[in-house]
Amino acid sequence: MYQQDEWDQALLRERVAEFRDQTRRFLAGQLSEDAYRPLRLMNGLYVQRHAPMLRVAIPYGALSSHQLRGLAHVAEHHDRGYGHFTTRQNIQFNWLKLESVPDVLAELAEVGLHAIQTSGNCIRNVTTDPLAGLLPGEVDDPRPWCELIRQWATLNPEFSFLPRKFKIAVSGRLHDRAACRIHDLGLELKQDDRGRPGFRVWIGGGLGREPHLAQCLREFLPADDLIDYLTAVLRVYNQAGRRDHLYKSRIKILVKSLGIEAFSALVDAAWKDIIETRSISALAALERIKARFVEPAHDPALADDRIEPAPTGAFARWLRYNTREHRVPGYRVVFILLKGLERAPGDLTAVEMRVLADLADQQGFGLLQTTYDQNLLLPHIPVRALREVWQTLDILGLANPGIGTVNDLIACPGLDYCNLANAATLPLAQQVQQRFQDLDYLHDLGEVHLRISGCMNGCAHHHLADIGLLGVEKQNGSWFQLLLGGCAGSESRLGRVLGPALQADQVPDAIETILALYAARRLPGEPFAEAVQRIGLKTFKETVYEQHDHSRRATHYGSLAHSAG
Amino acid sequence: MIILDGQLTTDHWRTVQGDQSLPPEGDLLFGHDRFVANALFYSQRPGGLGVILQPEDSLEPILPWLDRLDLISLHFPRVADGRHYSTARLLRTRHGYQGELRATGEVYRDQLDFMRRVGFNAFLLPETEDLQTVLNGATPPRAYPDLQYDLLRTA
C-alpha cells in the first residue's frame, strides 16, 4: 500500500482548513449557493433527499485497518452508525449535518482519507482491478500507476473546471476487471513487442443516458509519456467539450461528434506541443512513487501450509466460493460479501468496520480492499488462519458464500436516498435476496451478475450486467426495465432491453423465469451472457412476458402490484 | 482596484466598447473582434495595448501581436467555465507570452490558486470580495506541482 509522506498529509490538512473557511462563509451568507456548490462538490459533498451526502475517496480501493477505524468513527459520531460502499470503490455517508462536514473531513485527514474530487466536474477517483497484484500469473501491478494518476489529477489547476466529470480506470495486463471500456478514459497495461511497458488507451466510454463503449484511442502509448498524453487528452476536452447542455458534455459526446480520427489528431497536436515545451517523465515519477509502496512481508515458511483437518460443510463451501488462490503460496485472498437479507448492498456498520479492522490487523497485515461490486477483500490471509477468519466473519453474518451469484447483486441507493432516482432499488434488492435463498441452486447456476439502477444515470452499471434492472419514471410505484446479456471486460457488451417495464413486485418472478430458462438451455459451462446471445433475446422475452400474461389473467389486473411478497 | 503580482493596484486600463470612438490616448483594452480587425493600426499608436478574450474566442489571430500586447484579459462568464485555464497555460508556455495575464468575470478567491498556477498574474475580483482579506489569505498552494506543469514556484 502507498505510504503517504508529509507533503500528502499537509495537503489534506490545508484542504480541510480551506473548506472549513468556505463552509463558514456560506453559512454566514457571504457565499451564495451558486458559488458554494462547485466548492462543496469538489469536496465530495452533495445535498440529497434527506441530508447532505459525503463521498469519501478510497484511492483505487486500497484501505488500511487504521483508515477503516477512522471511517467507523465518522459513521458512529456523525452518521447513523453505518457507511455505504459504492461501485467506484468509495464510501458514502448519507446522514451528515452540513456544519459538521469540516470536522468529519478533519478526522478523515488524520487517517489519510479525504473527499477531494469525489464529485464535481473534475477528474474523479481512479479505479482499478481489486485483485491487482494478488493473483498468480499477473505480472504488472497497476496500483503505482493509479497513484501517479491520482497525484497528477489532484488539484490539477488546468482541469478542475471541466465540462463534466472525468473518470479514469486502469487495468492490469491479463484481465480487465476494471471495466476500462465504460470509463471516460481507460488504460490497459501492456508491453510492446520489445517488452517495453505501455498502455492501450480507451476513450469515450460511459453508461448513463447514452451508453457507449469506449473506442481505442491509441493501441500502444509508451509508459513514459503517460502524464504528457493524459494532459493532452484533458486539454482537448477542456477546450472543445460542450458546456451548453448537461447531457451532452461528457467526453463520449465529443469523441462521437468529432469521430475518433479527428479527436485523435487534436490530441496528438496537443501532445506534440507539450513535448516541445515541457515534458514530464512518467517513469521517473513512477520510481519515486513505487519507493513509497510497502508490500506485506509474506512468510515463506507458510508456503506448505494445509488446512487441517480437511474443510467440510459450510467452511468448505465458503472456501470454495469466497476465497481465491494467492500469488504467494500459503496465503489466500478472502472476499467479504456485503449483501444479504438484512443489508442494503455495500452497507457496513461501524461495529462491523471495527471487527474487520481488527481481523485485518491480526491476520492480514492490516490491509483491506474495496471492490467494484460493493464488496470487501482481505487481500493477504494465511491459509492457516482461514478457519478463524471464517468463524469471525460467520459471527458477523459476513460469511455468506454467495460471491458471484445472483445474490451478489449491485444496487445504487435509489429512491430511498437519491434525488435523481425514479424507483426504489433497495426493497427490490431485498426481494431478490429473499427469493433466491437456495445456495445449491445459486451455485449450480454459477456466476450471474445482477445489477439494479434507480435511474438512467446507471450508477449500478446495469448495462454491463447479465441481468440489468433500470428504474423508469412511471406513476404508481416503482417500475423496472429489464436488460439481458451485458458483460464487462475487454470484450464488453451492453445488455439489451427485454421488453416493457415491469412493476417492482413482478420482477423477482421474471428473474426466476429467466434463470430457469438459462439453467434448462445452457451448454455445459456456458456463461449467462453467451447463452443469451446463442439462444436469442426473443426466446427470453417470450417466456417472461407469456408467464406474466398468465399471471395477469389469473389475478385481477390492477391489484397485481399487491399480489406478490 | 485589481490584484497585480500579489499587490493591490489601481486599474489604469480603459476598456473601449465595440461602438465607442477611439480615445486619443491611454492604455486601451479592446474586445477580440475589434482588436483583430484593427490590430496593425492599434499596434502603432502610443500607450498600452490590451485585448479581452471570451472563452469561445480563437487565439490564432492574436498570436502575431503577442510581443506588442501588454495585457491579455481572459473573461470567465461562469465559475464553472474552465476553458481559460487552458488558454492561460498555452499563452504562457507554447506561445511564450510575457505580459500581464488578467482574470475577470466570475473570479473569486477560491479560484485564485488554480489561476496563478496556470500563469495568471492579475485578478479583477467582484466588489463583494474584500481584496485585503484575499491578499492576506493568499498562501502558496500545495498540490503536486512537479506533475502539473506548474508555472508558479510553490512551497
Side-chain angles (χ1 to χ4, degrees), chain A residues 14 18 36 63 157 169 229-230 277 318 408 473:
Chain A
E14 285 181 12
E18 181 190 56
Y36 182 60
L63 195 62
Y229 193 77
L230 287 178
T277 51
W318 175 82
D408 187 2
E473 205 172 350

Side-chain angles (χ1 to χ4, degrees), chain A residues 7-8 11 14 22 25 39 150-152 154-155 157-158 161 227-228 231 235 238 243 273 278 280, chain B residues 79-83 85-86 89-90 94 109-110 114 117-118 142-144 146-150 155:
Chain A
W7 182 272
D8 297 313
L11 184 151
E14 285 181 12
Q22 290 164 348
R25 280 153 58 209
L39 305 175
R150 188 195 72 79
Q151 294 189 9
W152 162 78
T154 298
L155 305 172
E158 190 176 346
F161 300 92
I227 296 299
D228 290 346
T231 301
R235 184 170 293 166
N238 190 39
R243 291 172 186 268
D273 269 350
R278 182 171 162 199
I280 290 173
Chain B
V79 171
D81 191 331
R83 285 176 282 185
Y85 292 93
S86 289
R89 174 98 80 193
L90 284 171
R94 175 180 170 191
R109 71 180 87 170
D110 306 291
F114 292 132
R117 295 174 60 207
V118 294
R142 198 187 290 267
Y144 295 95
D146 295 345
L147 295 174
Q148 297 170 334
Y149 310 86
D150 262 49

Side-chain angles (χ1 to χ4, degrees), chain A residues 121-136:
Chain A
N121 296 333
C122 50
I123 304 166
R124 302 288 190 87
N125 185 20
V126 183
T127 52
T128 189
D129 177 358
L131 292 167
L134 295 178
L135 301 192

Side-chain angles (χ1 to χ4, degrees), chain A residues 23 37 192 218-219 238-239 337 356 449 480 516 540 557:
Chain A
T23 302
R37 186 182 305 113
D192 68 4
R218 201 165 185 90
E219 197 51 50
N238 190 39
Q239 293 195 302
L337 184 72
L356 291 182
H449 300 283
F480 289 89
F540 281 88
Y557 183 70

